[in-house]
């Protein structure tokens, strides 16, 4: 009896798996956003554990979403009692502004990281060019 490995999944199967992963991730995100809204409406404490429990996902999943963490941190600084007094469109606008601010902060952090990586690439390209120059100098001897 030969216990051979099954072949790796084909391209079509990999695309199907990727679509499934994306669908599951989107559903989890919707559940997290709904949990945040429900906790806010219930005037309940908004913490990572509370959002995870209400949405049915792990705390690790919550921590993967930096904008959600920023929103939770904002509720810690400004408890739901203060936010709960907002009503109607003003409450929605405030929530959207907080979400936008969290995403802008996340984007700024990512842009900073990109600049750092671009600088590293530039330095490494200079080093490579210098080494090629030294190799050329050795070859001309």
């Amino acid at each position: 009896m030969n216990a051979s490995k099954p072949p790796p999944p084909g391209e079509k199967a990999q695309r199907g798996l990727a679509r499934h992963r994306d669908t599951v991730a989107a559903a989890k995100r919707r559940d997290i956003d709904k949990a945040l809204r429900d906790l806010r409406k219930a005037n309940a404490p908004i913490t990572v554990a509370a959002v995870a429990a209400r949405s049915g996902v792990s705390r690790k999943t919550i921590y993967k979403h930096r904008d959600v963490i920023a929103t939770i941190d904002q509720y810690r600084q400004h408890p739901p009692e203060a936010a709960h007094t907002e009503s109607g469109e003003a409450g929605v606008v405030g929530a959207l502004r907080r979400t936008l601010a969290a995403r802008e902060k996340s984007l700024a952090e990512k842009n900073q990281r990109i600049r750092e990586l671009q600088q590293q690439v530039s330095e490494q390209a200079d080093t490579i060019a210098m080494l090629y120059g030294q190799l050329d100098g050795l070859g001309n001897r």
Side-chain angles (χ1 to χ4, degrees), residues 79-129:
E81 295 80 29
H84 192 65
T85 59
E86 298 177 6
S87 62
E89 191 173 326
V92 171
V93 170
L96 288 172
R97 285 185 179 163
R98 288 187 294 275
T99 301
L100 180 61
R103 289 190 179 171
E104 285 175 344
K105 180 181 177 187
S106 175
L107 181 61
E109 291 170 354
K110 288 176 184 175
N111 284 337
Q112 177 61 32
R113 181 67 178 141
I114 288 170
R115 284 190 293 276
E116 291 169 1
L117 291 172
Q118 286 173 332
Q119 178 64 33
Q120 288 177 4
V121 168
S122 175
E123 291 170 3
Q124 291 172 353
D126 292 344
T127 301
I128 290 170

